Amino acid sequence: MDKQVNQGKLIVFSAPSGSGKTTIVRHLLDIEALDLEFSISATSRAPRGDEVDGKDYYFLSAKAFKDNIKNDAFLEWEEVYRDNFYGTLKTEVERIWAKGKNVIFDIDVSGGLRIKRKFPDQTLAVFVKPPSIDELKIRLKKRKTETEDKINMRVAKASAELATAPLFDTIVVNDNLEDALAEAQKQVSDFINA
């Protein structure tokens, strides 16, 4: 990607699974003044529930994902769990910038920090922090989308992810959803309008 062509800003939201980052991102997308468009991530995992290819994720086979890695097609990518890849296709960001919009990401902590490193001045990296690990586990169980083993894997991973919070530009604690939404909106608005 040619850094000279970049038109918009990059707004990264990362957090342990179940922290509420997707809810916050959806709220921000509804605010027209922010001029945001969602960056659809690619993944090698199977769709969950009513997820739609090209809307929620670009669902790729593990082989197709690895081929894209070899062809340098990703801005960032990560093998989050064994044989379970997530990443941001360069073409996705270029598509959004071509519309003159700012890109908002709902991605893994490692991917968020990679984007911040590649585009330090254009990126606002926001870490959404759950009130506690116990609350995180309750939220994951309420989803009813994963097995107990998967939930325990996510909770174990969350401890390591929480340790990265100070590497982000700002932290939004999602203890009270209304407060978290207001804080996130203020941070993004201030960054876009700076």
Side-chain angles (χ1 to χ4, degrees), residues 5 25 28 31 42 53 55 61 80 89 92 94 98 107 124 126 149 153 157 191:
V5 186
V25 167
L28 295 172
I31 301 165
D53 183 55
K55 179 178 175 269
S61 68
V80 179
L89 290 161
E92 179 66 1
E94 290 163 353
I107 60 175
L124 174 67
V126 182
D149 284 348
M153 263 173 57
K157 188 171 189 266
F191 180 72

Side-chain angles (χ1 to χ4, degrees), residues 57-58 61-62 72 76 105 111 114 122 127 147 160 169 175 177:
Y57 287 94
Y58 295 114
S61 68
D72 194 32
E76 60 78 29
F105 300 86
R114 278 195 198 93
Q122 271 178 276
F127 188 92
T147 64
D169 296 316
D175 193 1
L177 182 59

Side-chain angles (χ1 to χ4, degrees), residues 109 155-165:
V109 167
V155 169
K157 188 171 189 266
S159 298
E161 289 172 327
L162 287 167
T164 70

Side-chain angles (χ1 to χ4, degrees), residues 28 74 102 154:
L28 295 172
F74 288 104
N102 300 301
R154 289 193 184 277

